[in-house]
Amino acid sequence: MDSGSSEDFLAVTSQDEAQITSFPTQNWPISDGYFKALVILSPGKNILTLQHHHNGMQLASTTLNLTYVPLLQTPPLHLAIMVAKDSPLLIDCPPQKRGAVSTAHSGIDAAINKFRMTAYMWQAQTAEDMRAKGLGRRSFRLEEEWMVETLSRDFIQTPRGSSASHMRSTAKCHIIRSEKTVEQIRDAQVAQQNPSAHRKDDLHKYFEAALKKHGGPFESSAHPVVAGLILDSTYSPEQDIILGHAALGCSNPKGLSLGMFGSHLTYSWPRFMEEVSHCLLDTAIPGDTVGNDNSECGTMWEACSIGQGAFLHEVGHAFGAPHTTGIMARGYAQDWPKNYLSRTAYCQAKDTIGATVIHGETPNDACWDIKDALSFKTLAHFRLPSDPILSPDLLKANPSAQVIPDKADTDPSILVISCPAEIARVQFDGVAEHFPTVASPRRELRFTVEELETRFDRCNALKLDILGMNGRSMTMANVWRLFTNVSYIKIPGSDVVLQKKSVMAPDTEESLESLKQTDKWEWTVLLQERGANGSCKYSVPSST
């Protein structure tokens, strides 16, 4: 497959073990010999045939056999759409999407199909990102129901009830009716992007209340994680504000966790597989009737990237991820299509031409931070059957770094880096050590002061970052201070060595280190010894 013609495409055909077509053939662009393809798998054996087509001719073909086993024992991500009690059941849609004459992209059915397709794109992106990070091909599963499939145009165009209609388990989108009216949801005082709004968190409260009243899988006792779409979001040209929208996510391990987003960009999302490539390459201008979210939605594909990526960002919060890097730092804005396509289109926000080819070495910020990925791995939603179950103590264990005495006394001290849940990565001055890695973690690492001095200038602060396999991390602003203020006390005239222990909360200690604050007591010696005359005196000098 070495032809670089823009007319090249990859055709992916899916069959089951009986060689019956399980999903319609999908075509994906090939760029300079590279391709990416999103494939919907069916439970059981999937026989995938990949065919390279060039100018109407088939140049090559290969077959893959994949077995898909749904992990129904893991809790799912729930999809929910909140609608006002008097909602017209329509979403914003620019004229070029036939928004003025058709509900193909603006009706409630279109919103459901777009949300479902987007959720499967999230799932695929996460699974591939986890695999690339050495954590195995894992992702959250989606709550599914038995219904007519909508992930292909062929299924949607087949009349319901006909013998050709395709029934299968597919992602369920709950329609959640709010007690609030359209006017209340579109109140400018609850619009997150309104700088003068006084109640920017209210939409999240409205959604939570509607979910809890709906009951079922959203009971707090079920500890659900929900991706919530606000159907009645809309752009107000008069106020130049997106109303009824708030990008908010909150994790509550003991109750309901919700990541929500408005529907104001949903018009740009694909309804089914056949639209994915087009939606992520469409350079048409959305126009003045819809909102330009964060001034980054100058083209249709950018609106799609912001809408799908920012929504996943909020779902990340619902799974407990803070603001780190990648998806949790808006890395999706320009890079989102790189997860699904072998090329990208012109970017209006950056005024840059598209990449002619996307491959494994192409920079891509539309991914999860490694710390977030490791944290996700500890959640039941991402668990694989072969995963060991970590105890509560290991889940909460923080990495540590301390200096201990060398038993041989050839070197007065050794830096020991450890984590009860094992170490995934160690960085000095932002550069990762070659070992350990996520694939080969270690419980403990040791460095002598001579080793560090041969590699780093002691005149400069040496920053240390430690990441545990449980997603917990620790940052130390200057490792050299550990050697000058050692973490142990040798009792004179004996082999006894006492270790210092902080009485400060770990989070406070970490924040003080990262801020390089020195106005705190390092330690104080309280040891005394009895002299020959019976009087007591300090055995070693005090230090602060």
mmCIF file of all heavy atoms in Angstrom, residues 85 249 387 486 529:
data_model
loop_
_atom_site.group_PDB
_atom_site.id
_atom_site.type_symbol
_atom_site.label_atom_id
_atom_site.label_comp_id
_atom_site.label_asym_id
_atom_site.label_seq_id
_atom_site.Cartn_x
_atom_site.Cartn_y
_atom_site.Cartn_z
ATOM 1 N N LYS A 85 -38.919 20.869 30.131
ATOM 2 C CA LYS A 85 -40.265 20.282 30.145
ATOM 3 C C LYS A 85 -41.128 20.802 29.008
ATOM 4 O O LYS A 85 -42.119 20.149 28.636
ATOM 5 C CB LYS A 85 -40.937 20.521 31.494
ATOM 6 C CG LYS A 85 -41.218 21.979 31.846
ATOM 7 C CD LYS A 85 -41.873 22.038 33.219
ATOM 8 C CE LYS A 85 -42.193 23.464 33.645
ATOM 9 N NZ LYS A 85 -42.820 23.504 34.992
ATOM 10 N N GLY A 249 -17.733 19.248 34.824
ATOM 11 C CA GLY A 249 -17.641 17.846 35.190
ATOM 12 C C GLY A 249 -17.251 17.711 36.643
ATOM 13 O O GLY A 249 -16.444 18.495 37.150
ATOM 14 N N ASP A 387 -6.498 -7.947 35.446
ATOM 15 C CA ASP A 387 -5.931 -6.937 36.338
ATOM 16 C C ASP A 387 -5.969 -7.390 37.793
ATOM 17 O O ASP A 387 -7.002 -7.888 38.260
ATOM 18 C CB ASP A 387 -6.715 -5.617 36.232
ATOM 19 C CG ASP A 387 -6.476 -4.896 34.927
ATOM 20 O OD1 ASP A 387 -5.543 -5.286 34.208
ATOM 21 O OD2 ASP A 387 -7.215 -3.938 34.633
ATOM 22 N N VAL A 486 19.267 15.547 55.802
ATOM 23 C CA VAL A 486 19.004 14.122 55.660
ATOM 24 C C VAL A 486 17.781 13.713 56.467
ATOM 25 O O VAL A 486 17.415 14.344 57.450
ATOM 26 C CB VAL A 486 20.226 13.280 56.091
ATOM 27 C CG1 VAL A 486 21.382 13.496 55.142
ATOM 28 C CG2 VAL A 486 20.611 13.595 57.525
ATOM 29 N N GLU A 529 20.066 12.339 76.287
ATOM 30 C CA GLU A 529 20.739 11.207 76.894
ATOM 31 C C GLU A 529 21.139 11.571 78.331
ATOM 32 O O GLU A 529 21.333 12.747 78.658
ATOM 33 C CB GLU A 529 21.977 10.820 76.089
ATOM 34 C CG GLU A 529 23.043 11.877 76.023
ATOM 35 C CD GLU A 529 24.245 11.433 75.218
ATOM 36 O OE1 GLU A 529 24.234 10.281 74.758
ATOM 37 O OE2 GLU A 529 25.168 12.230 75.060
#
